[in-house]
Structures are given as structure tokens and as C-alpha cells.
Amino acid sequence: MIGRVLRRIAFATVVAAIVVYAVFPFYWAIVTSFRSGQAIFSTALIPGRIDLANYAAVFTEQPFGRNILNSLVVATVTVALSLLLAVPASYALGRVAFRGRSVLLFAFLAVSMFPQIAVLSGMFEIIQRLGLYNRLLGLSLSYLLLTLPFTVWVLTAFMRDLPREIEEAAVVDGASPFVLIWRVLLPLMAPAIVATGLLAFIAAWNEFLFALTFTLSSETRTVPVAIALISGATGYELPWGNIMAASVIVTVPLVVLVLIFQRRIVAGLTAGAIKG
């Protein structure tokens, strides 16, 4: 009995330590965003007063609203293109037997292992030759290199575990491959699609290196680059209050999305992990 209680206490302590370690930086960013002047360097865990001046300065000193819209457009287009390509690809890799299927699947995995800096120069040449430099579409196409391998892998694993009897019944009823994917398999893949789509959205929303390299003007920059380029009046001192306020603004929507779709995310990522 005592040993069981001690194990529960130890487990609760470890969980509490992990939660504090993960959540405290975000909490401190929120606290700092409400401070200004010398109060920013205070170590108090609770701000003495709520000051929204930093949030107002973020939108008045630069086109931060436009940057948020750019990130929203780029992330949405990236997710749409990723799912549009990954769903038929996962059907081919998961349900159709052909020579070289495993090699092709591992090629997707290998692409995701390359660091961004290794492919940056080649991607820059492609974006420039297509005339998409400093355009949002260029960012969306470049982000496919980050999101498409992951979406293909997850959706392929989910597709393999779907009952073949459903597919066979649809084929007997005369369903074409397009109808089979769109009307039969796609509704069953909803958990995996939500999970991969949301994770792809987060990856595109937070991406920095490609956004910094492939954009030039403040009208086309996304929020990670906009936050990185925030500077003080003299250019030598960083306005930490503004940076923290901008970070909170762009992080809260992602936290809300994850909380809303957390069950579908878990269901999509754990699909196929247990077979009964």
C-alpha cells in the first residue's frame, strides 16, 4: 500500500515537473508582454498591472496584421496542397501493389530527413526560375518539402489499416477510383486527415528559414520573420515587450486549435499502433 502511494507521488511529481518545464516559458512570455520599461526585467511571477501597450505597438509600428494574414494564407494553401497530393498518394502506396512501393515510401522518409539548409540553395533556384520569389505561393510550394513527406507517411499507415471489405464492396457497386477515395475512404480517414493537416499547418505557420530567404518586403513576410526583425528605436536594443506580445499573439491560435482537435490528433497519430 505504501509502495503504491509512493509510486503515485513520484509519478505525479514527474508529470508536474514536465508540465512546468513545458508551460512556464509560454507563461513567462505572457507575463512579460504585459510589462514595459524597467518592469520587463522584474522577476515577479505575477505582473503588478496589465499593460496592453506592447500589443498596440506590435500592430502600429509594423504591418503585423498583414504578416498574420500572410502566414494564415501560406499555411492554409500548404495544408490544402499537402492533403490534395497525400491522399491519392497514400491510396497508391497503401492499397495498390506495385514494384518499388517500399523504395518510394522510404524515399519520402529520406526527403524529410534532409536539413533545410542542405536544400536551401536548390530550392531558391527553383523558386526564382518559377518567378515566385517574394510571393506567398512560392512559400507554400517550398513548404511542401517539409509537410508532404509527413502527411504521406501518416496517411499511408492509416490507409493500410482500413478494412479491405469496404473497398471491395464499393468496387463491386461500380465505384471508380476517384469515387472510392472521395466518397468511401476519405470520410473514414477524417481523424488522420485532421491530425496531419493540423500538424502541417503548425509546421508551415512556424517555419522561418524559407520564409526569411524567399521573401523580401514586409508586405509578404510571415509572422516568424516579422517577429525576428522587430527592433527598438535605436536598432541596438530589443523591445522584449513587443517581441513577447507578438509571440503570444501568434501562439494562442495554435494552442486553441490543438485543444479543439486534440482527440482527433491522438486518434489519427495512433491509428494502426494497436491491432485487435
Side-chain angles (χ1 to χ4, degrees):
M1 182 66 181
I2 297 178
R4 182 182 301 177
V5 172
L6 291 177
R7 285 194 297 269
R8 289 182 177 179
I9 294 175
F11 178 76
T13 302
V14 172
V15 171
I18 294 175
V19 170
V20 171
Y21 179 80
V23 176
F24 182 77
F26 182 62
Y27 170 76
W28 190 251
I30 296 176
V31 171
T32 307
S33 67
F34 292 136
R35 293 171 175 169
S36 58
Q38 294 299 321
I40 291 180
F41 303 100
S42 173
T43 58
L45 295 178
I46 300 177
R49 66 187 184 90
I50 304 299
D51 187 358
L52 300 179
N54 294 325
Y55 290 89
V58 167
F59 289 97
T60 56
E61 296 178 1
Q62 61 184 34
F64 197 70
R66 177 63 180 271
N67 301 140
I68 293 177
L69 180 61
N70 292 341
S71 289
L72 182 61
V73 171
V74 170
T76 302
V77 173
T78 300
V79 171
L81 292 176
S82 296
L83 295 179
L84 184 64
L85 296 174
V87 169
S90 65
Y91 175 77
L93 293 171
R95 313 293 280 194
V96 180
F98 60 91
R99 182 177 298 179
R101 179 175 61 174
S102 298
V103 176
L104 185 59
L105 191 58
F106 279 103
F108 276 100
L109 180 62
V111 169
S112 65
M113 292 181 180
F114 281 97
Q116 286 183 260
I117 193 66
V119 298
L120 183 62
S121 59
M123 185 62 67
F124 181 82
E125 288 293 331
I126 293 175
I127 295 298
Q128 192 174 36
R129 288 182 180 274
L130 291 176
L132 298 177
Y133 180 73
N134 200 38
R135 297 181 62 180
L136 299 182
L137 182 59
L139 285 182
S140 296
L141 293 179
S142 65
Y143 288 174
L144 291 179
L145 187 66
L146 308 175
T147 60
L148 191 56
F150 169 76
T151 54
V152 169
W153 258 92
V154 174
L155 293 182
T156 299
F158 192 90
M159 186 76 73
R160 284 176 174 174
D161 293 329
L162 292 179
R164 288 193 174 272
E165 291 77 8
I166 300 176
E167 179 182 356
E168 293 171 355
V171 172
V172 170
D173 290 338
S176 64
F178 176 79
V179 174
L180 176 63
I181 295 174
W182 181 256
R183 301 289 298 274
V184 179
L185 298 179
L186 200 60
L188 299 175
M189 297 173 63
I193 289 176
V194 171
T196 55
L198 183 56
L199 293 177
F201 184 92
I202 294 175
W205 182 274
N206 292 329
E207 201 284 327
F208 176 77
L209 184 59
F210 286 171
L212 178 65
T213 307
F214 302 150
T215 58
L216 183 62
S217 62
S218 58
E219 288 74 18
T220 56
R221 291 188 182 118
T222 55
V223 285
V225 180
I227 294 175
L229 297 180
I230 293 178
S231 61
T234 62
Y236 296 99
E237 55 181 16
L238 291 177
W240 292 109
N242 292 9
I243 294 175
M244 293 300 178
S247 300
V248 171
I249 292 172
V250 301
T251 304
V252 167
L254 299 182
V255 174
V256 173
L257 286 176
V258 171
L259 292 177
I260 293 175
F261 296 106
Q262 59 179 334
R263 291 186 178 180
R264 287 188 175 270
I265 294 174
V266 174
L269 294 180
T270 58
I274 300 175
K275 292 186 178 181

